[in-house]
Amino acid sequence: MRYRLTFFLFFGCMIGLRAQVITAPDSIKPGRGNRETQLQRIKERKKRLFTDPVNGTEPQNAFLLDTTLFNKYGDLLHDDPEYNKRQPLWKPTAQVIGINAAFMGFNRYVAKADYGYVSPETWKTNLRSKPEWDTDEFGINFIGHPYQGTLYFNAARSQGYSYWQSLPFAVGGSLTWEYLGENTLPSYNDMIYTPLNGAALGEILYRLSSNILDDRTRGRERAVREIAAGLVNPVRGLNRLLQGKTFQVTNKEVYEKEPINITLFAGVHRQNEKQDDVFGPADTKGMLNVQLDYGNPFELQKRKPFDLFRLRAEFSKGGADTTAGIINNITGYGILTGRNSKLGKLDLLTGVFQYYDYWNTRNFDLGALGFGGGVFTRLPLTNQLNLYSNAHLGVIPLAGNSTRFAPDENGLRNYVYTTGLHGKIESTLSLGRYASAAFVYYHYWLKTFEGLEGSNSIGIIRPRVTVQLYKNLSLGYEHFGYTTNRRLDEYPTQRAVITDQKIFLQLFLQDPQRKGRYN
């Protein structure tokens, strides 16, 4: 009897302890000080209770939380449905139509572009015609159109729809634009690339804006958050105004959030002028790199689309003798579904991912949509030394790749449409905050199906080292090698190796709930 009583007392205490944390752990309570003071206490309390320990992959106190409502860091697993109600179907549909109408008006009355003059006759022609593979500029097809897709996607996502529920709006927006938005024929590539990569980038923008927003705040902080979130996700900013959320103040957190690490690189980008030359004559430019790592890949949780993603964008001015522009590359991946597990000391995540690749180099241009499987691992070697690795193998249903030899048979396009495979390996040996050594290798196998017939094998190698200078500031060196083996049926085979070197200062802004320099 004594043991039973002890058990029930212990069980009751645990329930009380859990309830103490679960009951609105981030709520503003009347009579407990002003709002700003309470918010600061909430942040400090969450940091104290739900921070990854050294050599740990999730907080030791995570058992205090109801993991059907919160992640292991005390943040919501889903947007609060009370404050993020799904709007009637006609609202996002009307907004998608409005987005297209705005683009159509700009093209016709502001830009006065030839393709912007549409009429019932052009609509009739497009609806009766077979789509084509278009001849738009490379950047328009592989950056511009995916961004347009993010607007369609967020018309629904920011009105209470889930990722999968928002995807059809991206598809519908793209289809209506292709047939009604321009007087050119609808294009296959836009109907594929715009909605699929638009949904991926759109979900990334939605989640970033959620991490910025905090409807518990007021005053200057609130204004800064609203403006920043609106710049990141303009459609969501507009909808917040229309729904009255811009000025609505809540007593608790109402948005799903995951920890995020931000890495900023700034330095010099040295582009070697000759092939197969590493430290010869070169053109040197300024370089800026932004990398976002969202979510903890080793937290034990049920995975949803894009609760884990990485997005890296690099900018520098290309040399006069190259086609490299200000945007050097944008690469990223996001999980669609996955599962966490442990194997001894080894933490694992296996899953299905979507990939986005845009490369503008002196050796090739590449824009690719990919899907495939990936494995993430974390192996603690000592208290400070950890080895992080991930490997991916996937299919590329659609990509654009430059030929560098000549335009296509119509004389209008200097790239071809391809399909193929990709393999990616990323590995980082991290010595706490003191130093890191990373190795990255990507390979793409591409086969042309539209344009100059042939194939291309592309390799990108990227070793990097960083050494701490002060706190989160490090000095780094990164070497890029771009290899291509381009085989075109009507032109000689071209094998080329181009190298770049980058020396930079790295500022690593680590979320205490996502420890580990696996960037």
Side-chain angles (χ1 to χ4, degrees):
M1 183 67 180
R2 182 185 306 168
Y3 294 114
R4 290 181 183 176
L5 181 60
T6 303
F7 172 80
F8 284 118
L9 284 173
F10 176 79
F11 186 72
C13 289
M14 288 303 297
I15 290 177
L17 184 60
R18 286 171 61 90
Q20 183 181 4
V21 178
I22 292 171
T23 305
D26 58 358
S27 293
I28 303 296
K29 304 269 180 85
R32 295 192 179 180
N34 64 47
R35 184 171 290 267
E36 290 73 21
T37 301
Q38 288 197 55
L39 279 174
Q40 185 60 35
R41 289 175 187 161
I42 288 168
K43 292 177 182 177
E44 290 174 355
R45 180 168 175 263
K46 286 180 66 177
K47 183 177 179 180
R48 183 178 68 254
L49 288 175
F50 308 119
T51 295
D52 288 346
V54 175
N55 255 1
T57 60
E58 58 185 69
Q60 294 174 333
N61 293 319
F63 69 91
L64 299 174
L65 291 162
D66 180 353
T67 54
T68 64
L69 298 177
F70 304 99
N71 65 16
K72 299 300 177 67
Y73 304 103
D75 292 317
L76 290 174
L77 280 172
H78 308 276
D79 289 347
D80 189 328
E82 180 182 350
Y83 292 88
N84 299 278
K85 295 178 180 178
R86 190 169 70 182
Q87 299 299 307
L89 186 63
W90 69 265
K91 287 190 176 182
T93 301
Q95 194 161 58
V96 168
I97 294 172
I99 290 168
N100 277 341
F103 276 112
M104 291 166 67
F106 177 85
N107 289 340
R108 179 164 184 167
Y109 298 109
V110 180
K112 299 186 184 301
D114 293 339
Y115 53 80
Y117 289 82
V118 298
S119 66
E121 289 301 318
T122 64
W123 297 342
K124 186 185 298 183
T125 299
N126 284 350
L127 290 168
R128 291 177 176 177
S129 301
K130 183 180 178 181
E132 63 178 1
W133 296 94
D134 72 26
T135 58
D136 286 351
E137 292 181 9
F138 191 83
I140 291 175
N141 269 340
F142 296 98
I143 292 183
H145 284 300
Y147 183 76
Q148 188 172 341
T150 70
L151 306 180
Y152 305 138
F153 177 85
N154 273 295
R157 190 70 173 94
S158 61
Q159 298 197 66
Y161 290 74
S162 69
Y163 173 84
W164 295 113
Q165 292 167 342
S166 301
L167 181 57
F169 290 89
V171 174
S174 176
L175 288 175
T176 53
W177 175 260
E178 289 302 310
Y179 283 93
L180 307 177
E182 299 175 315
N183 57 30
T184 56
L185 293 178
S187 59
Y188 290 114
N189 49 287
D190 291 342
M191 289 187 283
I192 298 170
Y193 214 80
T194 299
L196 294 182
N197 267 341
L201 295 177
E203 181 68 9
I204 287 173
L205 297 182
Y206 182 82
R207 287 176 173 268
L208 291 177
S209 61
S210 287
N211 269 40
I212 295 170
L213 292 168
D214 188 342
D215 287 7
R216 298 168 296 178
T217 58
R218 290 175 172 171
R220 181 183 300 176
E221 180 182 349
R222 180 61 176 270
V224 170
R225 287 179 181 274
E226 293 291 340
I227 292 170
L231 292 173
V232 169
N233 192 340
V235 173
R236 188 177 192 182
L238 173 62
N239 282 332
R240 286 180 65 80
L241 277 172
L242 297 176
Q243 297 163 7
K245 292 181 178 179
T246 303
F247 307 103
Q248 180 185 40
V249 179
T250 65
N251 284 336
K252 61 180 181 178
E253 181 62 270
V254 294
Y255 303 116
E256 174 186 1
K257 295 184 177 180
E258 293 286 345
I260 183 170
N261 288 348
I262 302 173
T263 311
L264 303 174
F265 307 78
V268 293
H269 178 188
R270 188 177 186 275
Q271 300 175 313
N272 295 99
E273 296 177 358
K274 298 179 181 179
Q275 293 185 17
D276 305 313
D277 194 359
V278 179
F279 294 109
D283 184 24
T284 302
K285 302 292 181 181
M287 178 269 291
L288 174 67
N289 184 300
V290 181
Q291 181 169 306
L292 307 174
D293 290 280
Y294 177 93
N296 184 343
F298 307 114
E299 178 190 353
L300 300 175
Q301 65 162 274
K302 184 178 180 180
R303 294 291 172 177
K304 304 192 307 296
F306 290 85
D307 62 19
L308 171 74
F309 69 76
R310 167 175 291 178
L311 184 67
R312 170 174 169 148
E314 185 173 289
F315 311 91
S316 71
K317 187 177 179 182
D321 61 335
T322 76
T323 63
I326 292 177
I327 302 177
N328 292 169
N329 59 77
I330 302 175
T331 59
Y333 54 74
I335 196 168
L336 296 175
T337 184
R339 182 178 180 181
N340 287 89
S341 58
K342 289 181 69 73
L343 186 61
K345 290 185 177 181
L346 190 68
D347 297 292
L348 295 110
L349 166 65
T350 56
V352 178
F353 293 80
Q354 181 172 344
Y355 306 90
Y356 174 80
D357 290 273
Y358 176 86
W359 295 91
N360 185 0
T361 78
R362 296 170 300 145
N363 208 356
F364 56 83
D365 290 335
L366 174 64
L369 163 71
F371 298 92
V375 179
F376 286 70
T377 64
R378 175 187 181 274
L379 179 63
L381 302 175
T382 68
N383 268 348
Q384 290 288 335
L385 196 63
N386 292 280
L387 178 63
Y388 301 94
S389 300
N390 61 81
H392 307 263
L393 181 64
V395 298
I396 300 175
L398 178 63
N401 182 220
S402 57
T403 60
R404 287 290 187 270
F405 280 98
D408 65 4
E409 57 269 20
N410 298 317
L412 298 172
R413 192 197 308 128
N414 65 350
Y415 61 92
V416 294
Y417 291 106
T418 68
T419 185
L421 303 171
H422 75 242
K424 299 182 177 183
I425 296 174
E426 300 177 336
S427 186
T428 301
L429 185 64
S430 173
L431 182 59
R433 66 179 184 272
Y434 303 108
S436 69
F439 176 82
V440 174
Y441 182 73
Y442 298 162
H443 205 100
Y444 306 86
W445 298 271
L446 305 172
K447 176 68 176 178
T448 300
F449 65 83
E450 173 64 25
L452 296 174
E453 294 184 2
S455 63
N456 200 356
S457 177
I458 294 172
I460 300 172
I461 189 170
R462 197 176 80 220
R464 180 181 73 235
V465 293
T466 63
V467 178
Q468 182 193 38
L469 295 179
Y470 178 74
K471 292 186 176 179
N472 290 334
L473 186 66
S474 300
L475 177 67
Y477 171 80
E478 189 169 46
H479 180 88
F480 270 75
Y482 304 100
T483 67
T484 183
N485 186 358
R486 187 181 291 110
R487 300 172 182 270
L488 297 177
D489 294 353
E490 299 178 6
Y491 294 89
T493 296
Q494 183 191 36
R495 296 181 178 86
V497 179
I498 299 293
T499 58
D500 296 345
Q501 297 82 42
K502 298 170 185 180
I503 299 176
F504 53 86
L505 290 175
Q506 172 187 290
L507 179 63
F508 181 57
L509 305 176
Q510 178 178 255
D511 191 312
Q513 297 175 339
R514 193 188 194 277
K515 286 189 174 180
R517 290 176 174 258
Y518 40 101
N519 59 330

